[in-house]
Amino acid sequence: MTENSGSKSDVPDLIPARMLSEFAYCPRLCYVEWIDGDFVDSEDTVDGRFQHRRVDSKEDSIPREEFENVHARSLFLSGPKVGITCRIDLLEGDGERVTPVDYKRGEAPDIPGGAYEPDRVQLCAQGLVLKENDFQCDKGIIYFVRSKKRVQIPFDTTLTQRTKDLISDLRKIAEKREMPPPLQDSPKCNRCSLAGICLPDEVNLLKEMEAKGGSEKGLLGKIRRLLPSRDDAMPVYVIGHGHTVRKKGDILEIWSRDDGKVKEARLREISQVNLYGGVDISTPAVIDLMQRGIPVLHFTRGGWFQGISTGHTHKNVELRMKQFEWAMDRKRSLSVACAVVAGKIKNCRTQIRRNDSEQPKQVLETLDKLSREAKNASSTEKLLGIEGAAAEVYFGRLNGLLKSENEFSFENRNRRPPKDPVNAVLSYLYAVLAKEMFVTLLAVGFDPYLGFYHRPRYGRPALALDMMEEFRPVIADTVMLSLFNKRELSDKDFIQTGIGISLTSKAKKKVIAGYELRMDAEIAHPLFGYTVSYRRILEVQARLLSRVLFGEIKEYPAFNRR
Ligand code: SF4
């Protein structure tokens, strides 16, 4: 078994020493990385790998004057009795008396003991493994690369006992399959690459709010900024027959049959590739994208989401098991369904309150009432009825949000196929939003096909449809209103097809551009206060849902614009 291995269905026999170090730093960090299999690189981890390259290299890159009597480098060892596996950067010594040397990036800290506890524990665990393998070992060395300093760590009784206690505690937590709670207001989270997955402040806030009966009084302002607030990588859209996507080195190229190369993008700057209608993609491009974890999404010309090409799916089996457990339980499914529908109705109300110049009192009151009813609906059937009633009220008012001088109007919501330009744009945007939610859920570790409100049907991404409910008004409807009200769409952008209306290729590009602008826009999060893009908010919501399924927070907190 290697340092990073670990079965997802059983507790691995041996704990990697590196994980023990993570556990000493933060039990939750270790759980997320080791049990859930989630890992995100940070500046520290990238730099750490770079510094390790020297010691891992067989080349003569080690400062020899500082390391006499080198026994071995990058040595993998296991100690079944102590329950640890480890990779020792460097082993010094003569005969059977050895000293493990662990490389650490950065400066040696000026603290008693000369090194932080997680580093000392990791080294001591290596010492225990060496002893089990018949070496004599009573101390280790931590070599701090930046300050070029060797710090000697004696394996005394206190450190050895602490290391053994941590091994036993970690094993218990792994067996229980219970994620430890986030640290409270800890400076450790500031440097933690998993903060965006763990959401320590957000989860702590929601737990405190639940303990206070839902009140957020005195609690806000405690949340640290979510970083990054927006994704650096962006989606690529290729629309239209006659286009081919290829890869050349680290660049993705888009070729047109008529015009040659029309666009290119660096692979590391791409988050997803969306192909609409008859676009070819080369096998090397697909394989590289898969290896980088960049999904390729396939759509019909009309925007119907047909499927996805991805690499190995997320390894978090625990989450999918929980999802199936909840989906099979009517009461628990209903609680999530009620929260998302209530959230959606609230956002419909906000849309009208913010943009309807007449401020229709009756409509606002009705939506407020329906939102509260949705929150407490006693069955899925009742919830469906409430949602239908709210949709009638909201869409009945949507025309008032289109500027009156506009050449387009909206009577009611119709689809498959849409009968008018406004509905055509809405349908197109809802499909794009559904795929966005699909990709987000997949990345977090969910099965997007198994929902809590939308019932399973072959090929239907039910959970993606559930989770996009609250975002329909704030993302899709808002983009539609903006495109029409700013006159970015005209009659020429639509084609009458006999059975309905569809968008021209040019119009689709305009709609996608409007959508992407919205997804990348940063807003102040209504509950957590920090500035964050809509795309990141989608991910935060999916992660909060996962915390609900694991019982960390009781109720799914829908995203509601104020
Ligand atoms: S963000 Fe904080 S609580 Fe969460 S895993 Fe990292 S260190 Fe632990």
Side-chain angles (χ1 to χ4, degrees), residues 232-253:
D232 292 335
M234 296 293 289
V236 165
Y237 292 85
V238 188
I239 301 173
H241 195 68
H243 284 93
T244 304
V245 178
R246 294 179 198 153
K247 171 187 119 71
K248 191 172 178 193
D250 283 347
I251 305 283
L252 199 72
E253 297 179 340

Side-chain angles (χ1 to χ4, degrees), residues 25-26 28-29 182-183 188-189 192 195 198 200:
Y25 183 82
C26 167
R28 187 173 172 97
L29 171 69
L183 301 177
K188 289 180 181 178
C189 303
C192 178
C198 156

Side-chain angles (χ1 to χ4, degrees), residues 230-460:
R230 58 141 63 96
D231 293 329
D232 292 335
M234 296 293 289
V236 165
Y237 292 85
V238 188
I239 301 173
H241 195 68
H243 284 93
T244 304
V245 178
R246 294 179 198 153
K247 171 187 119 71
K248 191 172 178 193
D250 283 347
I251 305 283
L252 199 72
E253 297 179 340
I254 298 154
W255 289 74
S256 154
R257 197 169 42 207
D258 304 326
D259 305 317
K261 188 164 76 176
V262 284
K263 274 256 172 351
E264 61 176 35
R266 283 195 186 87
L267 278 157
R268 66 180 156 81
E269 290 172 358
I270 297 172
S271 63
Q272 51 181 256
V273 177
N274 300 277
L275 308 178
Y276 284 78
V279 176
D280 291 331
I281 182 162
S282 72
T283 306
V286 172
I287 290 171
D288 198 330
L289 289 162
M290 279 178 174
Q291 284 169 346
R292 289 169 189 261
I294 303 169
V296 181
L297 296 110
H298 308 270
F299 298 85
T300 62
R301 248 166 53 142
W304 191 250
F305 179 35
Q306 286 188 302
I308 183 166
S309 308
T310 57
H312 297 291
T313 49
H314 199 284
K315 291 174 268 176
N316 193 346
V317 176
E318 298 288 317
L319 177 57
R320 287 202 288 279
M321 278 160 58
K322 274 280 168 212
Q323 184 188 349
F324 277 70
E325 200 182 303
W326 274 61
M328 296 303 122
D329 181 327
R330 278 189 172 274
K331 204 169 154 207
R332 288 196 281 181
S333 290
L334 183 64
S335 70
V336 177
C338 287
V340 293
V341 174
K344 171 188 170 178
I345 300 174
K346 242 182 174 178
N347 285 337
C348 289
R349 184 183 181 278
T350 306
Q351 179 81 282
I352 290 174
R353 183 176 55 74
R354 283 178 160 219
N355 300 308
D356 193 320
S357 53
E358 289 176 23
Q359 292 289 298
K361 195 164 171 269
Q362 180 76 43
V363 169
L364 294 174
E365 279 175 8
T366 308
L367 288 175
D368 192 31
K369 181 174 140 288
L370 289 169
S371 167
R372 277 185 276 112
E373 283 176 15
K375 194 106 195 264
N376 300 308
S378 54
S379 68
T380 309
E381 294 68 34
K382 289 213 168 100
L383 187 61
L384 278 163
I386 295 166
E387 191 200 5
E392 214 173 303
V393 175
Y394 170 68
F395 284 123
R397 201 59 216 177
L398 200 62
N399 194 44
L401 275 57
L402 285 163
K403 288 191 178 148
S404 54
E405 68 270 24
N406 215 301
E407 57 201 291
F408 300 101
S409 62
F410 178 85
E411 270 178 35
N412 54 30
R413 177 79 184 116
N414 57 64
R415 59 205 179 114
R416 290 188 196 162
K419 305 272 186 301
D420 56 82
V422 175
N423 273 296
V425 173
L426 277 180
S427 291
Y428 198 76
L429 282 164
Y430 291 152
V432 177
L433 186 56
K435 75 86 192 166
E436 194 81 52
M437 208 68 238
F438 186 100
V439 172
T440 306
L441 290 166
L442 210 56
V444 170
F446 283 103
D447 179 343
Y449 291 99
L450 187 65
F452 303 117
Y453 182 43
H454 292 83
R455 299 320 296 169
R457 193 198 298 159
Y458 185 79
R460 177 202 243 185

